Amino acid sequence: MKKIRVVVVDDSALVRSLLAEIINRQKDMECIGTANDPLIAREMIRELNPDVLTLDVEMPRMDGIDFLGRLMRLRPMPVVMISTLTERGAEVTMRALELGAVDFVAKPRIGLAEGIKDLSDQIVEKIRVAAAAHIRRLPTPAAGAAAEGTSAPRPEVKLLGRLSTEKLICIGSSTGGTEAIKEILTRMPADSPGIVITQHMPPGFTTSFAARLNSLCQITVQEAVHGERILPGHAYIAPGGKQFRIDRSGANYVAVVEDGEPVNRHKPSVEVLFKSCAQVVGRNAFGIMLTGMGNDGAKAMREMKDAGSYNYVQDEASCVVFGMPREAIAHGAADEVLPLTSIAPALLSRLSNTTDRYRV
């Protein structure tokens, strides 16, 4: 069996040693080199041609984000970021995912050695997923483009008109999902139906994710808050480490955020959100399954379809990882399988043509 060849880049000798040890314990992977800064890593990549790179953010001589941006433009390859669990670490991680990193691992600030050992299963799983991911070259910034680290909002999109507040858009995603969600939400007009989202993400990162999206979108994007009403023109993201589902209070949809058990090993879980949408929203729901590893949400998306929802699933060619969409298709949950860039236009067209509107 061909092993996954990994280069570890981190300025901490302890972290390099721990990651190399974890990787070398696996039968299907090997650490072929370690580097304490990006300049050394650059030469190592040229010489060794690794399958996956693990990359720290804060390093000497060149920042990890600067290095990642150059790497994804010149020699794109699967990268797993090693991020510190801090507010700044979360913001930088969002930028790394935007630049093309496949995924990230949040290393603890204290108890580093034990913390990384505890994360060993997660680390090797993310390396395996990264090795099989679809990687795309980052475009070279055009002259006069927005400054590095910023993104210009999309031009204003056409309003839909007075849709029924019964409509609800339900989105699930995992690996590669942060950019896929951005592609959908930045195309949604200010009067779109309420949107509820579960993206697999650990605690401490969803706040930065929601804030970044909110700065780019015409709709309001925020973390879901327990008991809060789900409003049109708003998107609600499941907080990391919590389960998020929808309930009804009178005529309104409300968010339920609770410290439940993991489902399909995930917390938040797409299965939890989609199952509640099937039960509470029924034929007024639109389901969207985006890129991600595994099968979380596939069965519940079929339950949504059986309850009358209309469902979109991202196609293989545009996915970073096709696992969750593939499983949704296998369960017969998809009404349409579309490239990522076609999902929002198709949804908006269907919403524009709906007969279920308020009478003016």
Side-chain angles (χ1 to χ4, degrees):
M1 180 178 61
K2 183 180 182 294
K3 292 188 176 184
I4 300 167
R5 303 165 73 249
V6 186
V7 165
V8 172
V9 188
D10 199 294
D11 68 339
S12 164
L14 174 61
V15 172
R16 293 197 304 274
S17 173
L18 290 168
L19 290 177
E21 181 184 341
I22 289 167
I23 290 164
N24 287 329
R25 282 205 306 265
Q26 312 306 310
K27 293 180 179 179
D28 60 339
M29 63 182 68
E30 61 181 333
C31 179
I32 59 171
T34 66
N36 65 355
D37 72 48
L39 299 185
I40 296 172
R42 183 176 60 190
E43 297 307 314
M44 199 169 282
I45 291 166
R46 286 174 179 163
E47 292 175 14
L48 301 177
N49 193 30
D51 300 309
V52 178
L53 194 73
T54 73
L55 180 62
D56 190 13
V57 171
E58 297 180 357
M59 289 180 293
R61 296 214 284 173
M62 184 186 293
D63 181 83
I65 294 298
D66 292 339
F67 178 64
L68 177 66
R70 297 182 190 193
L71 182 68
M72 299 308 289
R73 280 190 287 271
L74 300 173
R75 200 278 193 197
M77 63 178 296
V79 176
V80 177
M81 301 301 295
I82 307 296
S83 306
T84 305
L85 187 55
T86 62
E87 184 175 345
R88 165 164 165 73
E91 292 170 357
V92 171
T93 299
M94 292 303 105
R95 177 61 182 152
L97 295 173
E98 194 172 66
L99 288 171
V102 175
D103 211 334
F104 68 95
V105 176
K107 64 183 177 184
R109 296 177 65 186
I110 56 175
L112 187 60
E114 288 304 312
I116 287 188
K117 288 176 182 176
D118 290 343
L119 291 167
S120 59
D121 288 346
Q122 185 183 137
I123 290 165
V124 296
E125 180 181 12
K126 293 192 177 192
I127 289 172
R128 289 188 185 105
V129 171
H134 297 158
I135 306 300
R136 292 169 179 81
R137 186 180 298 274
L138 189 69
T140 301
E148 187 77 11
T150 64
S151 298
R154 291 181 184 271
E156 187 167 348
V157 291
K158 183 180 177 182
L159 296 176
L160 289 165
R162 300 186 67 199
L163 285 172
S164 167
T165 55
E166 291 283 296
K167 301 295 181 188
L168 198 66
I169 300 165
C170 312
I171 301 176
S173 60
S174 185
T175 311
T178 55
E179 287 302 289
I181 290 169
K182 184 174 79 172
E183 167 64 29
I184 303 291
L185 296 194
T186 52
R187 292 177 180 264
M188 301 306 295
D191 64 345
S192 76
I195 303 171
V196 291
I197 302 164
T198 290
Q199 159 72 33
H200 295 161
M201 197 171 278
F205 288 85
T206 41
T207 302
S208 291
F209 180 42
R212 179 151 188 80
L213 288 173
N214 189 57
S215 73
L216 300 173
C217 297
Q218 293 179 44
I219 60 174
T220 299
V221 185
Q222 63 185 77
E223 276 189 307
V225 176
H226 181 71
E228 190 170 31
R229 181 184 168 194
I230 304 298
L231 297 171
H234 289 64
Y236 303 85
I237 296 173
K242 301 286 186 181
Q243 295 293 14
F244 173 39
R245 60 183 174 86
I246 299 302
D247 206 344
R248 187 180 280 277
S249 176
N252 300 317
Y253 299 125
V254 294
V256 179
V257 178
E258 53 199 357
D259 192 18
E261 292 297 313
V263 174
N264 297 329
R265 300 187 301 125
H266 295 292
K267 185 178 172 183
S269 164
V270 180
E271 190 80 11
V272 170
L273 178 63
F274 279 11
K275 185 178 284 288
S276 71
C277 290
Q279 295 169 346
V280 175
V281 189
R283 66 179 182 85
N284 286 306
F286 294 89
I288 301 176
M289 184 72 85
L290 301 174
T291 173
M293 184 69 181
N295 63 0
D296 186 34
K299 288 173 59 179
M301 194 178 206
R302 177 55 196 256
E303 291 177 22
M304 287 179 64
K305 183 174 169 62
D306 291 342
S309 73
Y310 194 88
N311 295 340
Y312 300 91
V313 174
Q314 186 176 351
D315 74 352
E316 182 172 8
S318 65
C319 281
V320 174
V321 180
F322 190 50
M324 286 163 54
R326 179 192 288 117
E327 290 298 319
I329 294 165
H331 279 77
D335 288 292
E336 295 187 52
V337 180
L338 297 171
L340 175 61
T341 54
S342 299
I343 293 175
L347 172 61
L348 291 171
S349 176
R350 181 164 286 271
L351 286 168
S352 296
N353 294 328
T354 183
T355 57
D356 189 7
R357 294 175 177 272
Y358 288 123
R359 294 184 182 276
V360 179

